[in-house]
Amino acid sequence: MPTTTAPSAGAPPTKGLEGVVAATSSICFIDGDKGILAYRGIDIHELAQHSTFEEVCYLLWFGKLPTSKELTDFKGQLAAERKLHPDIIKLLKSFPTSTPPMEVLRTAVSALSMYDPDAAKNDHDANIRKSIRITSQMAMIVASFDRIRKGKQVVEPDKSLTHTGNFLLQLNGEKPSPTADKALDVALILHADHELNASTFAARVIAATLSDMHSCITGAIGALKGPLHGGANEEVMKMLFAIDKAGEDPVEHVKKMVAEKKKISGFGHRVYHTEDPRATHLRRMSKDLGTKDGKPKWYEMSEKIEKYINAEKKLNANVDFYSASTYTTLGIDIDLFTPIFGVSRVSGWAAHVIEQHDDNRLIRPRADYVGPKWPEKYVPIAERG
Amino acid sequence: MPTTTAPSAGAPPTKGLEGVVAATSSICFIDGDKGILAYRGIDIHELAQHSTFEEVCYLLWFGKLPTSKELTDFKGQLAAERKLHPDIIKLLKSFPTSTPPMEVLRTAVSALSMYDPDAAKNDHDANIRKSIRITSQMAMIVASFDRIRKGKQVVEPDKSLTHTGNFLLQLNGEKPSPTADKALDVALILHADHELNASTFAARVIAATLSDMHSCITGAIGALKGPLHGGANEEVMKMLFAIDKAGEDPVEHVKKMVAEKKKISGFGHRVYHTEDPRATHLRRMSKDLGTKDGKPKWYEMSEKIEKYINAEKKLNANVDFYSASTYTTLGIDIDLFTPIFGVSRVSGWAAHVIEQHDDNRLIRPRADYVGPKWPEKYVPIAERG
């Protein structure tokens, strides 16, 4: 985990705080050179194969794997919060149906605080209760608004299902197949946390003023919305759709993009210099789902593009590349990709807010000032010509 | 502007990024040792005495003072955006009247994007148009919700008034006196920008994912809401109210607080090691308003406390200390102090978002990992005891 030295007085800053250590944390370990990602020390490959999204939430928030009883209780608490205040449903119905779902999510999560009895409390236990509530309710907001905008009934939650199973039920109106359920659950595990990525860092900057959990999550949703962060898998899928529509050869299409110096989304990562360990699992799920669904098209296109870019540009697929074909094979609309990223990442955001509040200091860096030299004269308006 | 060196690999980070340079900027110059604050190089004392809030917005967004014609045009543009979509008014009316105004502001500003034709555009000109709109509309949201929660009519905006004059009209239902208008306008000038304070830094972190202006401002409002940032002048006023209610001597009260090691809000600043240059003007306004209103009580109490803390603790009053008595003398409710800070600071947030988008790089620092060592074993649930 190499870090560089930030500049001293007057020197130009490391742009984008690249390599600068901004916080101490015990949540997420990344070794970008070796391609290691671990939550609370446990390798992401273990978690992707053996864990569930609920267990990962527990691990992130409590710092250890739950016992059997603890997990049962915890799942019960998450399921018990599967309820949206009627005013939140009304709110979702009041939004223009054409609103991008990330704007809906940002606004509705902000409004959740109005109905949360712990809204103003920042102690550890209140933060855990709010993490549970917001995690349950964000999934419901994404699914419910998708139903509303399509003129369909909002689906009642089923408290007997897993978090992922209930989300897919509320989204599609029917219980998911075990393959679909598992595939999305693994995707949620893989996206749950990633150290000080931009949205998590935004959440911590907000938390460090001792603002509340809803403010932090709302800000993080706003950051995730950006195309340099959560939006990348949408771009991947748009490319695949464009290739499919034109009936082009995927490699020829990408060759053209490279020649035109266009950015190919889904490749490379500021932190990883090897394969993104999350890509390994998403590649496998994209393949499995495609095979079982009898619709291997998106996987096959993706694989060809990956091979070419890997060979030509020495760039590795990142978490976004195969999540695009995975989600599309699951029948999920393209503009729900980033909201679903949020439905997962809220677990990590919440863990970081809890950690920040438990040992807080205001995050307040400085700027390297390069503007007009003080004291610039205040010229009276009559003399400004 | 002394900056320290950020840690290299493995070293514990500078907590809260204190002294670490996080961006290059030409908006705001602060010299904390000499007590200098300047927007685009122009000293805050000049601006407080000679400028207006509208002119300061222009200065922050365009990087120079406007000519007479430019200022007239610009004021016209701000006034023309003094309109809230009927659905936003409906939204404000749908919120529980007990909702803290900062939660209302955060939610309503997030919702504004749904009705903004430039919501998804991040180019420089679209950002300017959104800055104008959001600045006009944030003031209207704060004033309108205050009317709604008090069971009063929402006041129609008056496009012939200044930004500050219209805000006070929409808040109180009558045009302000010239003294009140001037006092609040100066307060808005003083709060407009302050380099990479926590809310502005949050806005830039969000902007750097190439997310949109509404996401950035919404996140910034969430950060400002924290008691270590925007909430401090509320705390000052709560203390003054408590002293007044108990009929205590202000100095005796504060002595007791010091003895009990309680934090006295409104003193000291991470960046300034001398008097906060903004405090100078707020002290004067608090005094002027108190004298002209025949209600010098809050000013006089504040002055006694400042003298004591200054002598005993060697701490200087900051921007929050005299804004408390100023706002209360203006008849503004205590829970509107932070929203009004936002009504001003949005100008700085917008300037920083524009600057970030104009020369962007993702802001993505690293964490110093101190958690369980990888690879921690994934113990199967049956074996967890």
Side-chain angles (χ1 to χ4, degrees), chain A residues 1-31 36-43 46-47 50-52 55 63 65-68 71 87 91 94-96 99 103-104 106-107 109-111 113-115 119 194-199 201-202 205-206 208-212 214-215 218-219 222-229 269-271 359-379 381 384-385, chain B residues 1-31 36-38 40-43 46-47 50-52 55 63 65-68 71 87 91 94-96 99 103-104 106-107 109-111 113-115 119 194-199 201-202 205-206 208-212 214-215 218-219 222-229 269-271 359-379 381 384-385:
Chain A
M1 197 169 25
T3 53
T4 59
T5 307
S8 51
T14 311
K15 210 167 173 185
L17 287 178
E18 180 160 6
V20 172
V21 170
T24 296
S25 176
S26 60
I27 299 169
C28 189
F29 173 71
I30 299 174
D31 185 326
I36 297 169
L37 167 62
Y39 303 158
R40 303 285 187 183
I42 301 178
D43 198 284
E46 293 277 346
L47 295 169
H50 304 300
S51 191
T52 61
E55 186 175 77
L65 289 171
T67 63
S68 195
L71 184 60
D87 285 357
L91 185 73
S94 77
F95 296 149
T99 307
E103 297 181 29
V104 167
R106 186 186 66 209
T107 309
V109 167
S110 178
S113 69
M114 301 181 192
Y115 309 98
H194 209 244
E195 204 222 35
L196 296 191
N197 60 92
S199 56
F201 186 51
V205 171
I206 296 167
T209 70
L210 293 182
S211 191
D212 63 288
H214 289 87
S215 290
T218 301
L224 186 66
K225 183 174 180 293
L228 296 189
H229 190 4
H269 195 281
R270 185 185 288 189
V271 173
D359 181 23
N360 189 61
R361 186 154 196 246
L362 186 74
I363 299 175
R364 204 282 181 219
R366 295 302 306 267
D368 181 35
Y369 182 71
V370 295
K373 205 167 153 25
W374 174 88
E376 183 82 356
K377 200 175 169 229
Y378 181 85
V379 180
I381 194 152
R384 283 181 214 157
Chain B
M1 195 166 33
T3 53
T4 60
T5 305
S8 51
T14 312
K15 212 165 172 185
L17 288 178
E18 181 162 4
V20 172
V21 169
T24 295
S25 177
S26 60
I27 298 169
C28 189
F29 173 71
I30 299 175
D31 185 326
I36 297 169
L37 167 63
R40 303 286 186 181
I42 301 177
D43 198 284
E46 294 276 345
L47 295 169
H50 305 300
S51 190
T52 62
E55 185 175 78
L65 289 171
T67 63
S68 195
L71 184 59
D87 285 357
L91 185 74
S94 77
F95 296 149
T99 307
E103 297 182 28
V104 168
R106 186 187 65 208
T107 310
V109 167
S110 178
S113 70
M114 301 181 193
Y115 309 98
H194 209 245
E195 205 221 36
L196 296 191
N197 61 93
S199 56
F201 186 50
V205 171
I206 296 168
T209 71
L210 294 182
S211 192
D212 62 288
H214 289 88
S215 291
T218 301
L224 187 66
K225 183 174 179 292
L228 296 189
H229 190 5
H269 195 282
R270 185 184 289 188
V271 172
D359 180 22
N360 189 59
R361 184 153 198 246
L362 186 72
I363 299 176
R364 203 283 182 219
R366 294 303 306 266
D368 181 35
Y369 181 72
V370 295
K373 204 169 153 22
W374 174 89
E376 183 82 355
K377 199 174 169 228
Y378 181 86
V379 181
I381 194 153
R384 283 182 214 158

Side-chain angles (χ1 to χ4, degrees), chain A residues 243-301:
Chain A
I243 294 169
D244 187 55
K245 203 176 164 191
E248 274 185 282
D249 176 75
V251 172
E252 290 307 315
H253 182 94
V254 168
K255 262 187 195 167
K256 239 184 340 189
M257 286 178 75
V258 171
E260 289 164 10
K261 296 201 190 322
K262 284 186 183 156
K263 181 180 160 57
I264 319 241
S265 291
F267 289 91
H269 195 281
R270 185 185 288 189
V271 173
Y272 295 112
H273 305 115
T274 168
E275 169 151 312
D276 182 334
R278 302 166 296 180
T280 318
H281 297 277
L282 285 159
R283 185 191 294 110
R284 176 171 53 80
M285 286 190 311
S286 173
K287 187 176 183 177
D288 285 1
L289 274 171
T291 314
K292 286 192 184 142
D293 259 32
K295 286 185 286 188
K297 178 166 74 175
W298 306 117
Y299 170 73
E300 287 167 1
M301 282 167 75

Side-chain angles (χ1 to χ4, degrees), chain A residues 46 102 191 232 237 268 296 330 366-367:
Chain A
E46 293 277 346
M102 284 301 278
H191 285 84
M237 203 59 229
L330 281 171
R366 295 302 306 267

Side-chain angles (χ1 to χ4, degrees), chain B residues 247-260:
Chain B
E248 276 185 282
D249 176 74
V251 172
E252 289 307 315
H253 182 94
V254 168
K255 262 188 196 168
K256 240 184 342 190
M257 286 179 75
V258 170
E260 291 165 6

